Amino acid sequence: MGRLDQRLIAITGAAQGIGLAIARDFASEGADLLLLDIDRTALESAARDIRAANPERRIDAEVCDIAVPEQVAGVFAEKGAFDGLVNNAGVNVFHDPLETSQAEWRRAFAINLEGAWACCRAVLPAMIERRHGVILNIASTHSFTIIPGTFPYPVVKHALMGLTKSLGLEYASRGIRVNAIAPGYVATQKVLDWWDAAPDPAAAKVETMALHPQGRIASPEEIARAAVFMISDECPFMTATCLTIDGGLSVRQHG
């Protein structure tokens, strides 16, 4: 018996990084999945691998730009009632505030916040009707801390936490749980690309590791294991809250 047997769960940004790790773990725990991503090639590859490892599971994959609400509504309408949703898709938008263009401001909100809301809006009616469902938003330590030079990303992630708490309270009495996970630095391709773009990639990596009390950053698989717990029935009294997974980074006052 898996911890997610007989669940149908949608995961956005499922083709790589944290989303892919979550998809693999969810399938291994018995869930049927709808994988969503904007990258067709990576998505098809991810779906093939997960199906091969879990031939008894239903693994659907749909290319979807979550910044387009009509696409989101169309995809979810065809798939039935969902037991869970993981809003993982996101994009880093880092600028000096006054150098942030309107287009970049809109891109940050359209993907990181409005896309998450569009997915929530698509699954909630059936969840409410069945009085059962779990939504998990992949937030960030940017949701409650600020790193200069990363505007407007923390603004959006603070808003995503507001969405989590608001929906969690609105629908708690109707059998719905809405929570968030706030990872710190995770060894995803985005972080590797960020190091590679630095003048001295090796030094950038050392500096990042040194920020963390454990001297390392998280793996995507560590975030995925927490996601299994948050989506499962093992935390039925947790809603409108956030689980921080950052190795103590956000608690540390000085290096």
Side-chain angles (χ1 to χ4, degrees):
M1 292 289 291
R3 297 156 75 189
L4 301 176
D5 281 348
Q6 300 181 356
R7 309 288 178 87
L8 176 60
I9 303 172
I11 306 169
T12 69
Q16 61 179 321
I18 293 172
L20 177 55
I22 290 174
R24 287 170 171 161
D25 262 16
F26 280 18
S28 72
E29 291 286 356
D32 295 324
L33 302 177
L34 171 61
L35 310 179
L36 302 175
D37 205 283
I38 199 170
D39 186 331
R40 180 181 298 276
T41 300
L43 180 63
E44 291 176 349
S45 176
R48 280 195 305 269
D49 290 347
I50 295 171
R51 290 184 190 116
N54 305 274
E56 72 286 3
R57 302 268 56 86
R58 169 188 163 191
I59 310 296
D60 293 336
E62 295 284 350
V63 176
C64 180
D65 183 352
I66 64 166
V68 181
E70 295 80 10
Q71 284 191 31
V72 173
V75 167
F76 278 95
E78 297 173 354
K79 301 299 180 181
F82 285 83
D83 301 287
L85 164 67
V86 179
N87 280 314
N88 169 73
V91 60
N92 292 340
V93 181
F94 296 162
H95 298 290
D96 175 274
L98 292 181
E99 294 176 0
T100 304
S101 68
Q102 185 64 20
E104 283 290 88
W105 171 269
R106 287 297 314 135
R107 184 168 76 100
F109 276 84
I111 298 172
N112 295 319
L113 180 64
E114 293 169 15
W117 166 233
C119 293
C120 290
R121 193 168 188 169
V123 302
L124 273 168
M127 288 182 174
I128 293 167
E129 182 178 352
R130 299 162 69 206
R131 299 188 65 83
H132 166 77
V134 186
I135 294 172
L136 180 63
N137 295 321
I138 306 302
S140 166
T141 52
H142 285 269
S143 298
F144 42 82
T145 61
I146 301 292
I147 300 174
T150 64
F151 186 88
Y153 188 75
V155 179
V156 182
K157 288 298 185 178
H158 275 67
L160 182 61
M161 195 63 69
L163 179 70
T164 301
K165 294 177 180 180
S166 180
L167 294 180
L169 290 184
E170 287 284 348
Y171 299 113
S173 64
R174 305 191 201 184
I176 314 301
R177 293 190 294 113
V178 185
N179 290 303
I181 286 177
Y185 288 85
V186 182
T188 64
Q189 191 59 48
K190 288 180 181 179
V191 171
L192 299 179
D193 291 344
W194 176 59
W195 285 338
D196 288 342
D200 186 339
K205 181 177 180 179
V206 169
E207 181 180 0
T208 301
M209 298 299 185
L211 292 172
H212 296 75
Q214 293 185 347
R216 67 176 182 89
I217 63 175
S219 69
E221 290 72 25
E222 288 175 304
I223 309 304
R225 296 314 295 167
V228 171
F229 169 69
M230 297 292 277
I231 285 282
S232 76
D233 292 333
E234 296 169 7
C235 53
F237 206 51
M238 290 180 67
T239 196
T241 193
C242 177
L243 180 64
T244 302
I245 310 172
D246 68 352
L249 172 66
S250 59
V251 177
R252 189 177 196 173
Q253 184 169 350
H254 296 291

